[in-house]
């Protein structure tokens, strides 16, 4: 079992920045971020593997969000810049997925509790 604990969400104005953190209880090869807005399905945001050789982003966040990890701390981060109101959602950290399933919510075995990000216009 892997426990994931997210932090860093909050309220920010459009154009602002936030950094989310997700600390894992043990080493995991692949970690990702997903988000879910009210009334919508959970969607892929970003993912990276242990060495950062396979890093992917949703088209909607490319150029604005950056995923990176500190392997010594078993922690993955999501730096979010130029935030837009449509980025408002609960953001979830996920761990342990095969490469082929890395963009699918169903591909991950472990999930954090989620952290709310609200972007005001």
């Amino acid at each position: 079992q892997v426990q994931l604990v997210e932090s860093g969400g909050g309220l920010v104005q459009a154009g602002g920045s936030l950094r989310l953190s997700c600390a894992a209880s043990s080493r995991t090869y692949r970690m990702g971020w997903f988000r879910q807005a009210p009334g919508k399905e959970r969607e892929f945001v970003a993912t990276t593997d242990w060495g950062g050789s396979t890093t992917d982003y949703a088209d909607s966040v490319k150029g604005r969000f950056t995923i990176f990890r500190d392997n010594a701390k078993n922690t993955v981060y999501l730096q979010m810049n130029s935030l837009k109101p449509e980025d408002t959602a609960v953001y979830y950290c996920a761990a342990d997925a095969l490469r082929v399933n890395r963009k699918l919510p169903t591909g991950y075995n472990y999930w954090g509790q989620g952290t709310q990000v609200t972007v005001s216009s």
Side-chain angles (χ1 to χ4, degrees):
Q1 283 284 348
V2 177
Q3 281 77 47
L4 303 174
V5 179
E6 299 124 333
S7 60
L11 173 63
V12 64
Q13 289 187 332
S17 299
L18 282 174
R19 178 179 291 185
L20 306 182
S21 301
C22 174
S25 60
S26 60
R27 173 176 168 166
T28 59
Y29 182 74
R30 182 172 309 283
M31 299 185 76
W33 289 96
F34 290 76
R35 65 187 182 186
Q36 188 166 16
K40 295 188 177 181
E41 294 186 351
R42 191 167 298 188
E43 65 174 4
F44 166 73
V45 175
T47 182
T48 187
D49 60 14
W50 179 263
S53 61
T54 306
T55 299
D56 297 281
Y57 297 92
D59 288 343
S60 59
V61 306
K62 279 181 182 177
R64 300 188 298 122
F65 291 10
T66 302
I67 186 172
F68 61 99
R69 59 192 297 170
D70 183 339
N71 291 332
K73 297 181 179 179
N74 290 331
T75 299
V76 66
Y77 303 91
L78 186 68
Q79 178 66 43
M80 305 185 294
N81 299 329
S82 302
L83 282 161
K84 305 175 181 180
E86 51 262 44
D87 294 318
T88 296
V90 177
Y91 283 70
Y92 295 91
C93 173
D96 191 19
L98 298 178
R99 184 178 186 276
V100 67
N101 297 326
R102 65 191 184 276
K103 298 182 183 181
L104 302 174
T106 54
Y108 289 79
N109 291 318
Y110 303 103
W111 291 86
Q113 79 284 357
T115 185
Q116 177 70 46
V117 171
T118 303
V119 184
S120 63
S121 57

